Amino acid sequence: MQMQDEDLGARQHRAAHDPSFPERREQAYGQIVARLDAALAPFGYVLRGATWSRQSDRGRSAVHLQRSRYGWDVQVLLRFVTPDGEAPDHPDWADDADVTLARFGQGDSSGQLAFLDVLETPDLLDRTIALLVSEALPWLEAMHSANPRSITHGAD
């Protein structure tokens, strides 16, 4: 998710020359973690490191916050593994890959959050949390049901 009035390269250049950016980055990361924790805890997800997980007899679902290697942003990733540690027998995990929020959103709803955006435009984080809770989390939680193959979503 990036601001419309300034391209990512310009914003990264600005941040790279801002001596307070490392502190601001950690402030933004803390806000993201706190908001995700508040959204996921009521559903039984427990935070460990940068991953919230929930276990059932069908497997373990996880919501992971992955920091980019360059330090500009994070991305929300979804995963489900069976009790055997395998990807579920479901087309969404045919390649055993993580699912991003882009599967559920439109436009800038990829689940990728630039730290500067979180601080400067808080509604971007609000939209990501809303998408996670209203679309992605119910879909992910359905993997814990008896028939996960019946799960569909309009973004297929």
Side-chain angles (χ1 to χ4, degrees):
M1 298 180 162
Q2 62 183 347
M3 305 293 291
Q4 300 297 330
D5 59 344
E6 185 179 21
D7 76 1
L8 181 59
R11 291 170 39 251
Q12 289 174 342
H13 179 78
R14 184 167 44 101
H17 291 88
D18 178 359
S20 67
F21 178 70
E23 182 180 309
R24 294 182 71 216
R25 174 181 51 219
E26 294 312 308
Q27 177 187 5
Y29 183 79
Q31 288 178 14
I32 296 166
V33 169
R35 291 287 307 280
L36 284 172
D37 196 47
L40 293 167
F43 295 95
Y45 283 77
V46 176
L47 175 60
R48 176 181 245 167
T51 303
W52 291 261
S53 61
R54 182 175 96 66
Q55 184 139 1
S56 73
D57 59 343
R58 301 240 176 241
R60 175 174 288 222
S61 57
V63 177
H64 178 68
L65 192 57
Q66 181 179 32
R67 288 181 112 150
S68 71
R69 66 182 179 171
Y70 299 110
W72 305 114
D73 55 32
V74 292
Q75 185 168 28
V76 178
L77 302 173
L78 309 172
R79 173 153 289 219
F80 188 90
V81 294
T82 66
D84 298 329
E86 301 292 324
D89 182 21
H90 190 274
D92 295 320
W93 275 284
D95 295 323
D96 192 35
D98 293 322
V99 173
T100 69
L101 290 182
R103 172 177 165 67
F104 304 95
Q106 297 176 350
D108 63 358
S109 298
S110 67
Q112 190 168 350
L113 295 162
F115 294 120
L116 288 176
D117 294 347
V118 169
L119 296 173
E120 296 171 4
T121 313
D123 69 312
L124 295 174
L125 180 54
D126 295 342
R127 286 188 285 179
T128 298
I129 298 294
L131 180 64
L132 175 66
V133 170
S134 67
E135 298 285 334
L137 194 58
W139 173 84
L140 184 61
E141 286 296 294
M143 289 292 180
H144 291 279
S145 73
N147 188 9
R149 282 200 147 302
S150 67
I151 303 165
T152 58
H153 188 274
D156 287 344

